Amino acid sequence: MKRLPGRPLITLSLPAIAIAALVLAVRVPLARQSSSQAAKLPAATEPIPAVTPFVEEHAHFDEKDPAGAVRSAVAALGRENAAMIVFQISPDTFEHPGRYDAEIILSEVKKHPGKLAITGGGGSLNAMIMKSVATGDAGLEVQKQFKARAEELLREGVIGFGEMTAEHFDGFTPYQAAPPDHPLFLLLADLAAEHNVPIDLHMEAAPQDMPLPSDLMSPPNAPRLHANIAPFERFLSHNPRAKVIWAHLGSDFTGFRTVELDRRLLLAHPNLYMEIKTDPDAHGKTYPLGFDGKIKSDWLKLFTDFPDRFVIGSDQHYPVPKDADKRWQETILLFNQLPADVRKKIGTENVAAIYVNSVASFLRAAKN
Ligand SMILES: [Zn+2]
Ligand SMILES: [Zn+2]
């Protein structure tokens, strides 16, 4: 606990009432400061680790300092009780200055096998999809280049394709949208199935064509969103051997990613998985935690009804930004409330089942 700075005693011979007023004026703000600090201090200074190990399956990094980001992530493992951290590449477009892909950090990540891993394609495959949407060209030559780039990333050592997007609001990277059953997404599903690696997909839910939610600005976002759940289901059915992780459950900015929608899709598509993310600075419109921090009963029932289909993907950036609350912490406070058998699956077993060629062997090796 931080101590508040001491205040000098008031000893001047002022009338008693004036002294009382002064003391009150000093104490009230101090008391307020003190109680708000007391509420925040435990999370800020003493992180609460996961009660059992977990794999952080969706994290980002400072691309301007890859070595520093890797140091920060490795240092976080023990503090969080994370068995591994998987970096994702933010979905981006060719027009966005500063676009990058896995190569920017891959050599640093490879220095920590079994502790860190990375997906790829957010800065290239995803940009190719956005370009193809804009030009309307998804012809054979475009498909050939797309396949070559995907295979190059795999040869270099990425463990999946991510972070891809089909509907992404303006943020670190620009507004982006593409039909999830676009020919290049279908090709990506075939490549993911062939190489047995997953696809990580960021997609705000829009069950029907709809205006942009009124709390978001256009521009930079599009004024209308296209229905994407039916095309998403066509993408999932296209190649049932392709494992697809729908990112950011708990970070829903349209309000349509409900328990009911998630349940229906999980029932219909055995190749669909979901990442849990709870951001204390940006609650989604269908947030799994109540004001008391407890998991809402309908979400808890979803997690326990489909224990094999969820992973932890808090979207934490490394190094952890100093001015933001910790996404990993809030997500782990949810994780810690899960029943022990479900927690074990969501923590490590499901990630191992999804990433059979990479995370699974790392976790096995760590056990032996
Ligand atoms: Zn995302
Ligand atoms: Zn992300």
Side-chain angles (χ1 to χ4, degrees):
M1 291 282 285
K2 270 189 206 156
R3 274 178 55 124
L4 292 168
R7 296 257 167 174
L9 284 172
I10 297 156
T11 53
L12 296 172
S13 56
L14 291 170
I17 188 133
I19 293 175
L22 265 173
V23 168
L24 268 178
V26 170
R27 277 195 183 151
V28 168
L30 271 179
R32 271 198 206 126
Q33 195 183 353
S34 172
S35 69
S36 72
Q37 282 201 349
K40 286 210 158 177
L41 270 177
T45 57
E46 290 171 44
I48 298 167
V51 291
T52 50
F54 74 103
V55 174
E56 169 61 87
E57 193 271 336
H58 190 129
H60 292 277
F61 55 90
D62 178 2
E63 76 280 9
K64 296 190 180 68
D65 181 15
V70 159
R71 263 197 314 277
S72 149
V74 169
L77 291 168
R79 195 163 60 234
E80 300 180 13
N81 195 17
M84 266 186 87
I85 293 176
V86 179
F87 287 132
Q88 305 271 345
I89 308 293
S90 298
D92 213 339
T93 65
F94 286 122
E95 290 75 32
H96 184 224
R99 178 183 60 87
Y100 59 90
D101 214 318
E103 288 86 354
I104 203 165
I105 199 171
L106 204 51
S107 62
E108 293 296 331
V109 167
K110 282 182 175 175
K111 291 178 186 167
H112 303 277
K115 291 182 176 167
L116 301 180
I118 188 164
T119 66
S124 55
L125 297 174
N126 186 77
M128 291 165 105
I129 293 176
M130 294 308 143
K131 186 179 171 192
S132 173
V133 169
T135 61
D137 182 2
L140 282 182
E141 186 52 35
V142 169
Q143 297 203 17
K144 201 175 127 195
Q145 287 170 11
F146 187 85
K147 181 169 185 275
R149 174 60 182 152
E151 289 174 344
E152 178 182 46
L153 281 162
L154 292 174
R155 268 198 312 277
E156 289 171 348
V158 309
I159 64 167
F161 299 122
E163 176 180 355
M164 310 297 293
T165 194
E167 184 67 62
H168 179 279
F169 295 139
D170 183 68
F172 284 110
T173 57
Y175 175 80
Q176 298 163 64
D181 61 348
H182 184 277
L184 294 183
F185 268 125
L186 302 186
L187 173 57
L188 190 65
D190 290 336
L191 290 163
E194 182 187 336
H195 296 278
N196 207 354
V197 297
I199 298 168
D200 195 281
L201 182 73
H202 173 135
M203 185 185 77
E204 295 292 339
Q208 59 279 315
D209 289 353
M210 58 180 276
L212 183 74
S214 57
D215 54 345
L216 293 166
M217 298 247 297
S218 176
N221 299 297
R224 288 192 65 79
L225 312 183
H226 294 295
N228 58 22
I229 299 301
F232 182 46
E233 293 198 68
R234 288 195 286 277
F235 168 60
L236 291 167
S237 308
H238 168 73
N239 191 327
R241 290 188 303 115
K243 287 173 269 193
V244 176
I245 309 165
W246 190 10
H248 311 331
L249 176 157
S251 192
D252 158 25
F253 296 110
T254 62
F256 287 104
R257 185 149 180 198
T258 58
V259 169
E260 293 70 29
L261 175 65
D262 285 337
R263 177 180 293 278
R264 184 178 75 68
L265 293 179
L266 287 168
L267 267 175
H269 303 280
N271 56 332
L272 173 63
Y273 299 84
M274 297 186 182
E275 277 170 8
I276 303 171
K277 165 187 174 183
T278 46
D279 182 350
D281 287 340
H283 286 198
K285 289 172 181 165
T286 51
Y287 206 56
L289 297 170
F291 287 115
D292 56 1
K294 293 215 173 87
I295 306 180
K296 292 175 183 164
S297 58
D298 51 347
W299 285 103
L300 181 59
K301 185 158 178 4
L302 183 73
F303 300 144
T304 52
D305 284 349
F306 297 90
D308 302 320
R309 311 289 287 284
F310 297 96
V311 298
I312 295 298
S314 80
D315 217 12
Q316 180 65 60
H317 289 242
Y318 291 94
V320 177
K322 287 196 172 51
D323 54 348
D325 284 327
K326 297 181 182 70
R327 292 171 173 177
W328 78 265
Q329 178 69 93
E330 179 106 329
T331 307
I332 285 311
L333 292 176
L334 181 156
F335 176 73
N336 284 350
Q337 296 174 49
L338 295 170
D341 53 339
V342 177
R343 199 173 59 233
K344 201 167 166 212
K345 289 183 173 219
I346 293 181
T348 54
E349 291 177 2
N350 297 346
V351 190
I354 295 168
Y355 293 88
V356 280
N357 299 329
S358 50
V359 175
S361 50
F362 292 142
L363 293 180
R364 252 196 324 272
K367 252 187 200 169
N368 299 330

